[in-house]
Amino acid sequence: MSVTLKDIAQATGYSINTVSRALRDDRRISDEAKEKIHGEAKRLRYIPNAIASAMRSVHTKSIGVVTADSANPFFSEVNKGIEAMAEKAGCHILVGSTEESLTREKNLVNLFLSRMVDGLVVMPVSDTSEEHLELYRSLPVPFIFAGRHLEGFDDHCILHDDVTGEKEVVRHLFSHGHRQILILTGPEQVSNTQDRLQGVREAFREAGVPLEESSIWATNGHAEEGYAAVNQALNKGLPFTAITCFNDLVAMGALKSLSENGLSCPRQVEVVGYDNLYMSQFMQPALTTVDVPKFRLGYTAMDRLVCHIKNPSAAYEKVMMPTRLVFRESTRGGKY
Amino acid sequence: MSVTLKDIAQATGYSINTVSRALRDDRRISDEAKEKIHGEAKRLRYIPNAIASAMRSVHTKSIGVVTADSANPFFSEVNKGIEAMAEKAGCHILVGSTEESLTREKNLVNLFLSRMVDGLVVMPVSDTSEEHLELYRSLPVPFIFAGRHLEGFDDHCILHDDVTGEKEVVRHLFSHGHRQILILTGPEQVSNTQDRLQGVREAFREAGVPLEESSIWATNGHAEEGYAAVNQALNKGLPFTAITCFNDLVAMGALKSLSENGLSCPRQVEVVGYDNLYMSQFMQPALTTVDVPKFRLGYTAMDRLVCHIKNPSAAYEKVMMPTRLVFRESTRGGKY
DNA sequence: TTGAAAGCGCTAACAG
DNA sequence: CTGTTAGCGCTTTCAA
């Protein structure tokens, strides 16, 4: 079997306890002992058993991250922020993806709990069933929701302002004279979908333009459904001169459909995405989109979480981050 | 603190042991006891402590996955295959990304070992230092290399045939009359870069065309370096009529540069990628590329790993998967 | 079919 | 500065 503290203790003549403390650099251990013990540990290729250590001590120094959709680079970018702060805090991370399934979300949370994580960062689906809410009400560790909110847990959320972000998109399109706007929404059980749609509605109301429900098309947030939706809208002869997309992936599909149907973007149809993925600047045309501070979102979420782990009685506080419209080639001209 | 077997034992009057076995559906426990115990467990919201369980039993039912580059969707797609098989085998997965750093690779392997994983799936950098090789020689658990190989561990590899895949790309370009081909390679410490370059060289030799070293440009495998490389090649006035890219991300950057420089793809310059990412069909123009069986790669790697965990004395055996050239819009016409 | 006891590897509390 | 003892929650003997 593998090398344990016991082996090092036997090899050096110290007690298991002294070895344990020497390896953790406890200051009450003599330099001589430390040197001997560290040397022997290295020689024997000792690998500390984090499992055993976790059992005995209060903290495992591990955090569970429940992310949403592994096919969307948005979440990789948020993850990087989480990881950066985790590393800073000396934690490591267990990641799992729900693929927007409530069942998988619950399973992941329980999996992480059973592995004794010190806390959780979650991008939840927005299901408001009693069972779902109860899962978080009874959670025995600190937790933060990143980029998405859940009814009754506003304080736990680190968010970006989707309502305003999307409202500005539609305002901008209005200011360019568009009145026929195709709206491609995202997965329905996700709070961002609801918020962005609300932003659309507010912008329409504000401008006094009636919003036809027939111009709202649902997608699952992936390119192929953006592509299909625009194809179908064109086939139906739906009139539109601009498209606002749930996210950049959907926009990528939309651009493809326009191009295949001989419609020039931005000359004939303007397209706006959401998220500002790294790849969006390389799309053709480069995508106008709403920048979300992805890295900072993850970084801040993890930072807050660490605070709550260190100080369990600290009050939770909602954080709202600003978004920013980024103008590229898929829309005409700059801001008016 | 949280609910333990002891709590259920006290509540039901059975011993801890009986509770433990009832919850694991041991057949030597009466149905009556099982029912009572399961009921109580549910009522108390018992969450099994996987950490404690892992300490006592041989297997943790967890697998470490050391992946390479979280910004590249290629690895997400491989991961999905790994996860699918893991779920089938009743394991869960710990994932970490090296970002192509040898140090991070070693740290991740040790992190996973310290968490007592039953085995590892690794996408290693191809560093052949004694230290790196020794890491795997002395690994106390079964391991599989997925999509990349490492000197001396051929048997542990599940691979796709990069030499042949890339050779076919270049052959195809030759067959279209190209002689001036820009070659954008990937990160140097990665076996795929070396293999694909070898494929290029073999195709050139085969065709009797001299390969100018000046037409080989290194990238880190990301879009921005594909973009920059093509920009620079054009600025230098390098003559080329086709580009073969290390991967689809690099190709995305290359397409962007061509478009910005007023060069039409495929009419003036043909472009070929590698990997066949999901998104590549949505690029403009849709990307001709080499399909790699990403899902199956992960799925098979995990399948082999599970076999070796179940049967530690089984001999390792290299698996080589075929690749396939996929023709889309970034090259002209079909295969000759 | 069930229970009692031992121990996985480690850390914390207390002695010295 | 170092050693002794106890025990985290669970599973695996062994005994009944």
Side-chain angles (χ1 to χ4, degrees):
Chain A
M1 260 305 282
S2 55
V3 181
T4 70
L5 291 184
K6 199 172 154 190
D7 300 313
I8 302 177
Q10 276 167 352
T12 57
Y14 289 101
S15 73
I16 291 181
N17 191 304
T18 303
V19 172
S20 167
R21 288 189 315 217
L23 291 178
R24 278 177 292 146
D25 260 335
D26 189 306
R27 53 173 174 265
R28 300 168 320 197
I29 300 288
S30 69
D31 288 349
E32 191 202 333
K34 274 189 192 171
E35 201 174 324
K36 254 180 152 174
I37 289 168
H38 274 106
E40 194 62 21
K42 198 159 198 177
R43 212 181 58 74
L44 294 177
R45 298 173 182 287
Y46 171 69
I47 297 171
N49 186 328
I51 298 274
S53 154
M55 258 199 73
R56 196 64 185 84
S57 37
V58 191
H59 291 311
T60 57
K61 286 292 191 180
S62 65
I63 302 293
V65 177
V66 180
T67 189
D69 176 3
S70 57
N72 190 336
F74 176 84
F75 298 101
S76 317
E77 300 191 33
V78 176
N79 250 339
K80 286 204 176 164
I82 296 178
E83 260 177 55
M85 177 46 88
E87 189 163 349
K88 213 169 162 181
C91 294
H92 58 268
I93 274 178
L94 310 182
V95 192
S97 178
T98 66
E99 314 299 341
E100 311 296 8
S101 145
L102 178 57
T103 312
R104 287 179 61 96
E105 183 178 323
K106 284 189 294 193
N107 289 345
L108 276 173
V109 168
N110 282 323
L111 173 67
F112 290 148
L113 288 180
S114 85
R115 298 192 69 90
M116 294 179 64
V117 293
D118 295 338
L120 289 166
V121 176
V122 185
M123 294 150 214
V125 301
S126 77
D127 181 289
T128 56
S129 67
E130 190 50 29
E131 194 189 358
H132 193 213
L133 301 180
E134 184 58 24
L135 176 67
Y136 294 105
R137 276 196 216 111
S138 65
L139 216 52
V141 295
F143 63 100
I144 295 282
F145 291 132
R148 297 174 168 195
H149 54 85
L150 185 62
E151 197 177 295
F153 294 98
D154 279 2
D155 298 350
H156 286 258
C157 297
I158 312 297
L159 298 171
H160 38 95
D161 191 347
D162 275 351
V163 177
T164 306
E166 182 63 34
K167 200 172 357 179
E168 283 184 355
V169 170
V170 177
R171 273 185 191 149
H172 175 76
L173 293 174
F174 280 147
S175 78
H176 272 215
H178 296 283
R179 287 299 174 272
Q180 315 265 27
I181 302 174
L182 189 64
I183 295 140
L184 304 187
T185 66
E188 61 172 338
Q189 76 282 27
V190 165
S191 69
N192 313 93
T193 300
Q194 297 149 11
D195 291 350
R196 290 175 202 176
L197 192 52
Q198 188 191 326
V200 169
R201 292 190 194 283
E202 288 184 12
F204 269 78
R205 194 170 329 122
E206 197 180 87
V209 179
L211 174 55
E212 305 284 343
E213 292 299 318
S214 65
S215 57
I216 301 176
W217 291 62
T219 78
N220 63 359
H222 292 147
E224 83 267 21
E225 296 212 353
Y227 175 76
V230 174
N231 276 343
Q232 287 173 44
L234 290 171
N235 282 341
K236 277 204 167 178
L238 217 75
F240 60 87
T241 58
I243 310 177
T244 177
C245 302
F246 174 66
N247 65 19
D248 288 2
L249 293 183
V250 169
M252 190 177 201
L255 288 177
K256 184 78 186 171
S257 169
L258 291 177
S259 155
E260 286 187 1
N261 284 283
L263 289 166
S264 148
C265 172
R267 211 166 41 76
Q268 293 171 282
V269 178
E270 297 193 56
V271 173
V272 183
Y274 208 109
D275 285 349
N276 193 20
L277 298 181
Y278 165 76
M279 66 156 90
S280 299
Q281 59 195 307
F282 294 101
M283 289 184 195
Q284 309 232 40
L287 191 66
T288 291
T289 185
V290 177
D291 180 69
V292 172
K294 299 166 284 296
F295 185 92
R296 201 153 67 86
L297 180 68
Y299 194 83
T300 308
M302 187 67 198
D303 179 48
R304 303 308 310 145
L305 182 61
V306 170
C307 288
H308 288 287
I309 290 170
K310 282 189 184 147
N311 177 10
S313 63
Y316 282 91
E317 203 176 336
K318 172 165 151 176
V319 175
M320 182 66 87
M321 297 186 171
T323 56
R324 181 174 52 88
L325 202 42
V326 177
F327 296 96
R328 297 210 186 93
E329 303 160 4
S330 67
T331 52
R332 292 192 299 267
K335 205 164 185 170
Y336 282 19
Chain B
M1 259 306 285
S2 55
V3 181
T4 69
L5 291 186
K6 198 173 156 190
D7 300 313
I8 302 178
Q10 276 167 353
T12 56
Y14 288 100
S15 73
I16 292 181
N17 189 316
T18 303
V19 172
S20 167
R21 286 188 317 215
L23 291 177
R24 278 176 294 147
D25 261 335
D26 190 307
R27 54 172 174 266
R28 300 168 320 196
I29 301 287
S30 68
D31 288 348
E32 190 202 333
K34 275 189 192 171
E35 202 175 323
K36 254 180 153 173
I37 290 168
H38 274 107
E40 194 61 22
K42 197 157 199 176
R43 210 180 60 73
L44 294 176
R45 298 173 184 287
Y46 171 70
I47 296 172
N49 185 328
I51 297 277
S53 153
M55 253 195 75
R56 196 66 184 83
S57 37
V58 191
H59 291 310
T60 58
K61 287 290 188 183
S62 65
I63 301 294
V65 177
V66 181
T67 190
D69 175 4
S70 57
N72 190 336
F74 177 83
F75 297 101
S76 317
E77 301 192 30
V78 175
N79 249 340
K80 285 203 176 163
I82 296 178
E83 261 178 53
M85 175 49 84
E87 189 163 349
K88 213 169 161 181
C91 295
H92 58 268
I93 275 178
L94 311 181
V95 193
S97 178
T98 66
E99 314 299 342
E100 311 295 10
S101 144
L102 178 56
T103 311
R104 288 180 61 96
E105 182 178 324
K106 284 188 292 191
N107 288 346
L108 276 172
V109 168
N110 282 322
L111 172 67
F112 289 149
L113 288 180
S114 87
R115 297 195 70 88
M116 293 179 64
V117 295
D118 294 339
L120 289 165
V121 176
V122 185
M123 293 153 214
V125 301
S126 78
D127 181 290
T128 56
S129 68
E130 189 52 29
E131 194 188 358
H132 192 213
L133 301 180
E134 185 58 24
L135 176 67
Y136 294 105
R137 277 196 214 111
S138 64
L139 216 52
V141 294
F143 63 101
I144 296 284
F145 291 132
R148 298 173 167 196
H149 53 85
L150 184 62
E151 196 177 296
F153 295 97
D154 280 1
D155 299 351
H156 286 258
C157 297
I158 313 296
L159 299 170
H160 39 94
D161 191 347
D162 274 352
V163 178
T164 306
E166 183 63 32
K167 202 175 353 182
E168 284 183 355
V169 170
V170 177
R171 273 186 191 147
H172 175 77
L173 293 174
F174 280 148
S175 78
H176 272 215
H178 296 284
R179 287 300 174 272
Q180 315 265 29
I181 302 174
L182 189 64
I183 296 139
L184 304 187
T185 66
E188 61 171 339
Q189 76 282 24
V190 164
S191 69
N192 312 93
T193 300
Q194 297 149 10
D195 291 350
R196 290 174 201 176
L197 192 52
Q198 189 191 329
V200 168
R201 292 189 194 282
E202 288 184 13
F204 269 78
R205 195 171 329 121
E206 199 181 86
V209 179
L211 173 56
E212 305 285 342
E213 293 299 318
S214 64
S215 56
I216 301 176
W217 291 63
T219 79
N220 63 359
H222 292 147
E224 84 268 22
E225 296 215 352
Y227 174 77
V230 174
N231 275 344
Q232 286 174 42
L234 290 171
N235 281 341
K236 277 205 167 179
L238 216 74
F240 59 88
T241 58
I243 310 176
T244 177
C245 302
F246 174 67
N247 65 19
D248 288 2
L249 293 183
V250 169
M252 190 175 201
L255 289 176
K256 184 79 186 170
S257 169
L258 292 177
S259 155
E260 287 188 0
N261 284 282
L263 288 167
S264 146
C265 172
R267 210 165 41 75
Q268 292 170 282
V269 178
E270 298 193 54
V271 173
V272 184
Y274 208 109
D275 286 349
N276 193 20
L277 298 181
Y278 166 77
M279 67 155 88
S280 299
Q281 58 195 308
F282 294 102
M283 289 183 195
Q284 309 234 42
L287 191 64
T288 291
T289 185
V290 177
D291 180 69
V292 173
K294 298 167 284 298
F295 184 92
R296 201 153 69 84
L297 181 68
Y299 194 82
T300 309
M302 188 66 197
D303 179 48
R304 302 310 309 146
L305 181 61
V306 170
C307 289
H308 289 288
I309 290 169
K310 282 190 184 147
N311 178 9
S313 63
Y316 282 91
E317 203 174 336
K318 173 167 153 176
V319 174
M320 181 66 86
M321 297 186 170
T323 56
R324 182 175 51 89
L325 202 43
V326 176
F327 296 96
R328 297 208 187 94
E329 302 161 4
S330 67
T331 52
R332 293 192 299 266
K335 204 165 186 172
Y336 280 21

